[in-house]
Amino acid sequence: MGENASFWESLIYAHPTCTSWKQEAEGSIYHLASIFFVVGFMGGSGFFGLLYVFSLLGLGFLCSSVWAWLDVCAADIFSWNFVLFAICFVQFVYVTYQVRSVAFDREFQELYSALFQPLGISLTVYRKIVLCCDAEVVTLEKEHCYAMQGKTPIDKLSLLVSGRIRVTVDGEFLHYIFPLQFLDSPEWDSLRPTEEGIFQVTLTAETDCRYVAWRRKKLYLLFAKHRFISRLFSILIGSDIAEKLYALNDRVHVGQGFRYDIRLPNFYHVALPEPPPVPPPPPPRPHRLQRGSPRRPPAAPANCGSFLAP
């Protein structure tokens, strides 16, 4: 215990105390370095925030190196500041390379600006989402079907980039799907990862359409690796289902004989018109003999033989 106390005492009290302070101020290079440090530590997050921080901190350490070389003439201060400047410079170059390498096609860039950037999704996270769909945009020509009722399996999740999709069931129109909406969010949400199913509606392109498709298995693997992306898609799919439900134009009571326009398979029903009520059968009429029918004589009583003549 005494050795530890002596160590701390020697560390604190071994140096001579400052009896007189330096009257003249340091040079302008030292103050410029301090300004760079103060402004640099106000940077934010993300790629551009890192570029901001590393650039200003690098300039601050460079000014400190120049100040140590010219004014202080201390090799150790110069060495440490120059090493820190080199580290900031390397980090700045690395982040710049990452920003330039995260480049997308025009449609993916527009999709990021319209849907993912307002949610605060960084380019690195968005890049993982794009790579999961192989950075491919699929074209669907006019009047071609994306899915057919009772035939197409639910094996992917698609997001419409351009065009318009018509949703029908048994030939009856339900609603439209517009850009930045999922094509099969209700079907996706109705199944568990281990379940399989088929579409209960038909999706037909009203115009030439382009969409992004994520395969079901690959997307679930991405969700397992990155929980943040899983929560993000859960929010997007839930919001998309809510928009579809509000967009449905026929929401009436099933008891009146109309269909229930909800695409979720758990709630999907087509209610046939109820048949008219069958009138009750008329009460039975008393039996009447037809004209010309022979009448039967009344049966004789059991003791009528005693009244007969011999």
Side-chain angles (χ1 to χ4, degrees):
M1 189 67 182
E3 294 179 357
N4 292 335
S6 61
F7 171 75
W8 288 108
E9 290 177 358
S10 62
L11 184 63
I12 298 175
Y13 301 109
H15 302 282
T17 58
C18 297
T19 57
S20 61
W21 292 87
K22 188 176 180 180
Q23 298 297 326
E24 63 274 9
E26 295 293 337
S28 59
I29 300 179
Y30 174 80
H31 295 288
L32 181 61
S34 300
I35 292 174
F36 279 133
F37 288 142
V38 171
V39 179
F41 282 114
M42 294 181 181
S45 58
F47 282 114
F48 296 102
L50 291 176
L51 290 176
Y52 175 86
V53 170
F54 285 125
S55 61
L56 291 179
L57 290 184
L59 292 175
F61 287 123
L62 179 62
C63 292
S64 297
S65 301
V66 175
W67 167 75
W69 182 266
L70 297 179
D71 294 346
V72 183
C73 299
D76 54 348
I77 300 177
F78 168 80
S79 301
W80 278 111
N81 282 277
F82 190 79
V83 169
L84 293 174
F85 161 73
I87 293 174
C88 290
F89 178 76
V90 172
Q91 289 288 340
F92 181 83
V93 173
Y94 175 71
V95 175
T96 304
Y97 172 76
Q98 281 191 320
V99 172
R100 291 182 60 87
S101 63
V102 182
F104 307 102
D105 295 337
R106 180 182 60 84
E107 290 173 314
F108 281 105
Q109 188 63 41
E110 292 177 354
L111 180 62
Y112 174 75
S113 301
L115 186 61
F116 291 94
Q117 190 176 14
L119 298 177
I121 306 303
S122 63
L123 289 175
T124 53
V125 175
Y126 182 66
R127 183 183 183 184
K128 296 174 183 177
I129 297 174
V130 172
L131 291 178
C132 185
C133 67
D134 299 328
E136 182 181 1
V137 181
V138 185
T139 301
L140 183 65
E141 296 181 358
K142 183 179 180 180
E143 296 303 327
H144 283 210
C145 290
Y146 171 82
M148 297 186 66
Q149 179 181 354
K151 296 182 180 180
T152 306
I154 304 171
D155 57 355
K156 57 187 175 181
L157 178 67
S158 301
L159 181 67
L160 187 62
V161 178
S162 62
R164 186 174 65 180
I165 300 290
R166 181 177 66 253
V167 182
T168 57
V169 54
D170 295 334
E172 297 287 340
F173 172 77
L174 290 183
H175 61 88
Y176 287 114
I177 298 177
F178 298 99
L180 303 181
Q181 290 184 342
F182 288 99
L183 299 181
D184 38 18
S185 55
E187 289 77 13
W188 173 275
D189 190 67
S190 64
L191 297 179
R192 296 179 180 178
T194 57
E195 294 179 344
E196 296 181 357
I198 57 176
F199 277 85
Q200 301 295 325
V201 294
T202 299
L203 305 180
T204 309
E206 282 236 333
T207 61
D208 292 337
C209 302
R210 289 177 65 81
Y211 64 90
V212 179
W214 292 273
R215 288 294 172 182
R216 186 179 181 87
K217 294 183 178 179
K218 292 184 64 175
L219 194 56
Y220 274 121
L221 289 176
L222 182 66
F223 291 167
K225 293 180 181 178
H226 305 281
R227 302 296 299 175
F228 174 75
I229 299 179
S230 176
R231 292 191 296 269
L232 170 66
F233 270 81
S234 178
I235 294 173
L236 292 176
I237 291 173
S239 175
D240 187 80
I241 293 175
E243 291 181 1
K244 285 182 172 61
L245 293 178
Y246 280 113
L248 293 174
N249 55 353
D250 296 330
R251 289 191 295 268
V252 291
H253 195 266
V254 179
Q256 300 297 327
F258 298 95
R259 69 175 183 275
Y260 213 6
D261 284 348
I262 296 180
R263 290 176 56 194
L264 287 174
N266 295 335
F267 299 99
Y268 169 77
H269 302 283
V270 176
L272 295 176
E274 296 182 357
V278 179
R285 297 179 179 180
H287 181 70
R288 295 181 180 179
L289 293 176
Q290 298 179 358
R291 293 182 179 180
S293 59
R295 293 177 177 270
R296 292 183 181 182
N303 55 353
C304 64
S306 59
F307 297 94
L308 296 177

